[in-house]
Amino acid sequence: MFDSSLKVRIPPSPTGPLHLGTVRTALYNFLLAKKHGGTFVFRLEDTDRERSKSEYVSDIINGFRWLGITWDEGPLRQSEHKARHQMVVKQLIGEGLAYECFCTTEELNEIRQSQRAQNLVEGYDNRHRGLTEEQKKNFREQGRKPVIRFRLPDNKELFWDDLIRGRMTVNTSDLGGDPVIAKDNGDVLYNFAVVVDDNDAGINCVIRGEDHLHNTAKQIALYEGLNWKVPKFGHVSLILTTNREKLSKRKHGDIAGITKYINEGYLPEAIVNYLIGMSWTYPGDDSKEIFTIDEVIPIFSLDNVSKSSAVYDLGKLHWFCKEHFKLTSSEEVLKRAEPFLEKENISLNEYSIEEKLKIISLIKDGLITLSEIPQQVKVFCKIPDLSNLEIKEKECLDDPNAKLILEKLKDLLNESDSLNEEQQVKDLLEKLSSETGIKKGKKLFWPVRVAISGTVHGPDLTSMLSILGLGRVKDRIERVNNFLMNE
Ligand code: GLU
């Protein structure tokens, strides 16, 4: 159905931070363009002067870059197309397809109230369609300034074959009356500007959220009025929360925007995978949930995009995160962890690169975010503060066996000449068990863990000790023995 002439777009409004819904729509457009060798256009719909902010522009651009979503044209800025918009407004007025409407807000409210009372569809009743020059002059003399409305065809069935939802039909009488295309200050509105910009950019396929279904009908009327080629349309379902509410920044805070995920060190691959898979199923294997974007490009099709609502579940996303950490090499995780380590003042520079990679491989598979790394690797470069232990850890050292274990361990360490091999650590712990008469398990290992790291949690003990090496382990055990003696 598509070939390399395909031209799609993502036109976010910079009136808020980049929303996950926009990311998912961008992904579907991006995938479609890549699959067919088409063109993906990025446009900022920044005509709302009060609500558009440069910080949101940066947030959107950074977000796309972070996710690896690239575009072939843009970012175009709708605000730069003003002259062209005004020209098309004039053209429509000249052709009798748009007209000045002088209704006040009060009058519009009255119309709605009376429609409500009669159980009619609410909207503008098109009363200023046929104003005479005389009437217009009178309104002007009253100080009224007109908006411009597009004249919808009366009672006409508009339809399109939605690429995701199938045949869609909307009657113009259900569209709330002739839509405003330009405000009384001349600023044009979304439904009009989007048609002009999409047409001028040669967009021939529009994939966007289902919240635009009614707009699509209005836009088709505009395309037809202007005698322009109507693009293909596809509407993806909205993202809901597990409570079946629309995922919104206002109600659901940070989880709806992309910034939280960037700041907390989520892997963009995991977010991309999760968002694509929310409505798209892997062809031929609907149980396959983990994939990379490059893997999806050649097999992507809107036929596999479902129209049922997508549900956002943070717990589910975390599962994807863990799976992607497993797929990412220790080298890559180490590289990406750098800024997070720096922020927490944690440096592994006393270790060789091989040792650093060993540390990362030890913790990597249980990670959800990169920001968990500093806490988890702290043990390798920070000596625990024994005077500030949590209750459980303190109890561990207070246990009468702890002294025995740790003193014996000190002796055994003095007899060892290396701990670098895991086997050497295993032998050491074996000896510790036989010489103290305490079976290998929590009773034996927890005091050692606490002495080394200040916590009973953390990576595998054998690996941890072998990476720390004889010198550091000896030092920490000595410190804990002195500490216990002086207590
Ligand atoms: N600026 C609109 C939005 O962010 C674009 C919608 C569309 O794709 O036409 O919702």
Side-chain angles (χ1 to χ4, degrees), residues 215-397:
N215 288 333
T216 295
K218 290 179 193 167
Q219 291 170 25
I220 288 176
L222 269 160
Y223 276 103
E224 288 179 351
L226 285 158
N227 244 326
W228 289 346
K229 192 165 183 334
V230 183
K232 292 194 164 65
F233 288 100
H235 292 83
V236 296
S237 55
L238 296 184
I239 302 182
L240 306 182
T241 64
T242 43
N243 297 334
R244 317 289 300 172
E245 286 172 329
K246 195 175 147 186
L247 180 69
S248 82
K249 172 92 185 141
R250 195 175 45 78
K251 267 194 129 167
H252 308 105
D254 283 354
I255 62 160
I258 204 72
T259 325
K260 164 196 160 73
Y261 305 97
I262 301 180
N263 292 345
E264 291 180 15
Y266 281 72
L267 296 182
E269 298 91 324
I271 308 266
V272 161
N273 183 170
Y274 182 50
L275 289 176
I276 294 176
M278 253 184 198
S279 302
W280 178 79
T281 15
Y282 202 95
D285 182 3
D286 57 10
S287 65
K288 185 171 163 68
E289 291 192 274
I290 300 297
F291 39 74
T292 65
I293 193 158
D294 287 338
E295 202 180 331
V296 178
I297 290 171
I299 52 172
F300 183 76
S301 157
L302 292 173
D303 296 342
N304 298 61
V305 173
S306 152
K307 62 180 179 190
S308 0
S309 345
V311 176
Y312 178 83
D313 177 349
L314 193 60
K316 184 91 200 263
L317 170 63
H318 287 174
W319 177 77
F320 278 84
C321 293
K322 286 189 182 171
E323 293 303 307
H324 276 273
F325 265 109
K326 290 181 197 159
L327 290 176
T328 311
S329 70
S330 299
E331 282 86 351
E332 187 59 29
V333 174
L334 179 63
K335 196 171 95 196
R336 296 194 201 182
E338 286 304 342
F340 293 89
L341 292 169
E342 224 163 85
K343 201 169 138 218
E344 297 300 324
N345 237 332
I346 303 271
S347 165
L348 294 175
N349 286 342
E350 61 189 277
Y351 292 93
S352 68
I353 181 73
E354 289 75 25
E355 287 168 330
K356 282 187 193 173
L357 293 176
K358 233 174 162 183
I359 293 174
I360 296 295
S361 68
L362 207 56
I363 58 159
K364 185 174 81 77
D365 289 1
L367 291 173
I368 294 173
T369 65
L370 294 163
S371 60
E372 294 166 349
I373 296 179
Q375 182 59 30
Q376 297 206 23
V377 304
K378 209 166 83 185
V379 51
F380 294 100
C381 55
K382 293 253 193 274
I383 295 162
D385 180 2
L386 298 170
S387 56
N388 223 346
L389 295 175
E390 302 278 333
I391 297 175
K392 193 159 151 201
E393 279 70 13
K394 209 171 155 357
E395 279 172 3
C396 225
L397 291 188

Side-chain angles (χ1 to χ4, degrees), residues 63-77:
F64 282 158
R65 291 221 169 103
W66 180 75
L67 290 155
I69 300 175
T70 53
W71 48 91
D72 306 299
E73 281 178 26
L76 309 177
R77 284 175 180 266

Side-chain angles (χ1 to χ4, degrees), residues 51-272:
R51 291 173 58 227
S52 295
K53 301 237 158 43
S54 62
E55 73 209 63
Y56 297 139
V57 170
S58 314
D59 189 88
I60 294 168
I61 294 179
N62 291 342
F64 282 158
R65 291 221 169 103
W66 180 75
L67 290 155
I69 300 175
T70 53
W71 48 91
D72 306 299
E73 281 178 26
L76 309 177
R77 284 175 180 266
Q78 189 155 65
S79 56
E80 287 171 7
H81 306 160
K82 252 188 179 158
R84 166 72 175 150
H85 294 152
Q86 298 308 332
M87 205 178 98
V88 182
V89 170
K90 273 213 183 98
Q91 179 192 332
L92 284 172
I93 295 176
E95 289 170 4
L97 287 170
Y99 61 93
E100 291 176 318
C101 165
F102 292 84
C103 281
T104 61
T105 317
E106 292 73 38
E107 282 168 345
L108 292 173
N109 285 341
E110 274 166 28
I111 298 174
R112 280 176 196 278
Q113 267 165 17
S114 107
Q115 287 164 334
R116 210 170 301 157
Q118 297 170 69
N119 262 335
L120 296 172
V121 187
E122 286 178 40
Y124 174 59
D125 60 2
N126 305 339
R127 60 176 62 179
H128 284 185
R129 265 186 181 183
L131 291 182
T132 61
E133 286 311 313
E134 184 67 22
Q135 285 170 310
K136 289 186 200 171
K137 190 166 154 254
N138 281 341
F139 282 132
R140 280 206 171 84
E141 279 167 6
Q142 288 169 24
R144 295 196 192 190
K145 283 177 86 187
V147 299
I148 308 296
R149 289 185 184 270
F150 173 67
R151 193 189 182 95
L152 286 171
D154 288 327
N155 197 19
K156 180 176 177 187
E157 293 286 347
L158 297 167
F159 63 89
W160 71 95
D161 288 318
D162 195 285
L163 297 165
I164 295 167
R165 320 181 98 74
R167 171 62 58 110
M168 303 293 296
T169 320
V170 179
N171 193 292
T172 49
S173 57
D174 292 326
L175 291 177
D178 291 341
V180 176
I181 58 172
K183 295 200 270 192
D184 61 5
N185 63 4
D187 284 356
V188 292
L189 294 185
Y190 161 72
N191 273 315
F192 171 76
V194 77
V195 167
V196 177
D197 288 4
D198 281 345
N199 174 75
D200 290 1
I203 302 298
N204 47 28
C205 175
V206 170
I207 307 298
R208 61 183 166 206
E210 64 178 326
D211 47 338
H212 286 288
L213 281 169
H214 266 72
N215 288 333
T216 295
K218 290 179 193 167
Q219 291 170 25
I220 288 176
L222 269 160
Y223 276 103
E224 288 179 351
L226 285 158
N227 244 326
W228 289 346
K229 192 165 183 334
V230 183
K232 292 194 164 65
F233 288 100
H235 292 83
V236 296
S237 55
L238 296 184
I239 302 182
L240 306 182
T241 64
T242 43
N243 297 334
R244 317 289 300 172
E245 286 172 329
K246 195 175 147 186
L247 180 69
S248 82
K249 172 92 185 141
R250 195 175 45 78
K251 267 194 129 167
H252 308 105
D254 283 354
I255 62 160
I258 204 72
T259 325
K260 164 196 160 73
Y261 305 97
I262 301 180
N263 292 345
E264 291 180 15
Y266 281 72
L267 296 182
E269 298 91 324
I271 308 266
V272 161

Side-chain angles (χ1 to χ4, degrees), residues 444-474:
L444 183 71
F445 296 147
W446 277 18
V448 180
R449 272 191 176 281
V450 175
I452 295 291
S453 64
T455 163
V456 294
H457 308 290
D460 170 65
L461 184 62
T462 310
S463 313
M464 182 163 84
L465 295 179
S466 81
I467 294 171
L468 279 165
L470 187 60
R472 289 189 195 87
V473 174
K474 243 173 153 174

